[in-house]
Amino acid sequence: MTTIDLTGKVAIVTGGSRGIGKAIALAMAQNGASIALVYRHASEQAEQTLKELRDIGCDAEAFVGDVSCFDEVQQQVAAIHERFGHIDILVNNAGITHDTLLMRMSEQQWDDVINTNLKSVFNYAHACTPIMMRQRQGVIINMASVVGISGNAGQANYAASKAGIIAFTKSLARELGSRNIRVNAIAPGFIDTEMTLSLSPEQKESILQRIALRRQGTPKDVARCALFLASDLATYVTGQTLVCDGGMS
Ligand code: NAP
């Protein structure tokens, strides 16, 4: 029976400094992968994550940059490729929210969320796929959200970015399947990270009532899905969106 073994693989994890990205980086490292983690602002959190990765014997490096900037990503991926020699797994995880009703949503709030969440996925896929094609293997995992499937009042920008990621994933899977590159998405539900900290206790309780498992998800819950999709357990899985929401949707 195949087990999860990422020994010798190099994984880029965007937004790897904290939350879901950190859990994915650690889980992949625990299973043998080397990690290039990308963050933008939180250098202390990135340093801490880097330390935790290295403490478990992982060959890891942190790269600072804005995932929404095409030119920056091209240069960063080239630097990662030079540092590690290959790129086997790309986890497009970095994301932000600017929640408000459409009537109050500024152009800036729309652009920031679309560029950070969706354009970034294009940026990294564009930079990494030539490398993966030359290697004749690769895995891409894009972090969507259940609201990209269901929609959500107050999150038109975020939901649109996540729906875009799901369609991008399906299209890229069709483009790259013949090159032995698998492309999948994960759609988390309500996960306990800094992103969901600002919700009021009432909002949290109302969401919990709609979750079959009656608990908020943890970053590790999502990391296990990423591990599966990155591993040889998923060799015949591509173009899919794996919902990880405790039965919310
Ligand atoms: P988080 O704790 O807020 O972490 C976000 C990460 O993204 C941080 O490492 C952050 O780095 C990085 N990031 C944000 N903007 C960036 C930029 N422009 N360039 C580079 N890095 C950037 O969020 P999370 O909850 O772990 O979410 C991770 C992913 O899961 C996101 O795509 C999110 O939409 C998705 N998701 C989350 C939930 C949930 O309930 N938490 C549910 C569904 C989907 P800095 O701090 O350094 O900026």
Side-chain angles (χ1 to χ4, degrees):
M1 178 64 189
T2 310
T3 53
I4 292 178
D5 182 8
L6 303 182
T7 306
K9 304 278 185 193
V10 175
I12 299 179
V13 183
T14 70
S17 58
R18 59 186 156 94
I20 292 170
K22 176 177 180 175
I24 291 173
L26 283 166
M28 290 190 174
Q30 278 155 1
N31 286 273
S34 301
I35 304 292
L37 71 86
V38 177
Y39 70 102
R40 187 176 189 190
H41 296 300
S43 52
E44 272 180 33
Q45 288 171 318
E47 281 304 319
Q48 173 60 29
T49 303
L50 199 58
K51 183 180 177 313
E52 289 177 39
L53 287 165
R54 289 177 174 164
D55 283 350
I56 57 169
C58 172
D59 181 15
E61 204 76 68
F63 295 81
V64 64
D66 180 359
V67 293
S68 68
C69 177
F70 183 83
D71 291 339
E72 247 181 69
V73 171
Q74 293 283 321
Q75 286 167 21
Q76 185 192 78
V77 168
I80 292 170
H81 190 215
E82 195 174 314
R83 161 72 173 77
F84 289 95
H86 47 114
I87 296 169
D88 308 290
I89 301 163
L90 166 64
V91 184
N92 281 311
N93 165 79
I96 57 167
T97 53
H98 285 313
D99 296 350
T100 189
L101 295 173
L102 180 69
M103 280 175 63
R104 297 195 197 110
M105 191 177 291
S106 66
E107 184 184 5
Q108 190 71 51
Q109 287 172 320
W110 173 267
D111 286 346
D112 283 351
V113 170
I114 296 294
N115 289 338
T116 303
N117 296 6
L118 180 57
K119 188 183 173 198
S120 63
V121 175
F122 162 77
N123 289 343
Y124 277 91
H126 196 277
C128 289
T129 48
I131 296 166
M132 291 179 169
M133 282 160 81
R134 281 198 297 276
Q135 294 170 174
R136 295 203 68 79
Q137 59 92 20
V139 173
I140 300 175
I141 299 168
N142 299 321
M143 204 53 68
S145 165
V146 286
V147 307
I149 300 167
S150 63
N152 197 23
Q155 289 196 305
N157 49 1
Y158 183 76
S161 74
K162 296 303 187 180
I165 287 175
I166 291 170
F168 182 88
T169 299
K170 291 180 190 174
S171 305
L172 209 61
R174 289 185 186 278
E175 283 185 29
L176 299 176
S178 63
R179 307 301 187 106
N180 194 29
I181 300 170
R182 295 186 294 103
V183 190
N184 290 290
I186 300 172
F190 181 39
I191 312 299
D192 188 12
T193 69
E194 284 185 31
M195 190 174 268
T196 51
L197 271 185
S198 59
L199 294 174
S200 69
E202 294 74 30
Q203 285 173 312
K204 284 191 177 173
E205 192 46 44
S206 134
I207 297 172
L208 281 175
Q209 289 306 318
R210 290 187 276 125
I211 299 175
L213 294 178
R214 288 291 188 274
R215 68 168 176 88
Q216 193 170 6
T218 65
K220 281 185 182 170
D221 289 321
V222 184
R224 289 184 195 111
C225 294
L227 257 190
F228 164 69
L229 290 173
S231 77
D232 282 351
L233 294 178
T235 44
Y236 205 49
V237 181
T238 196
Q240 300 304 304
T241 299
L242 179 50
V243 173
C244 176
D245 71 349
M248 184 165 78
S249 53

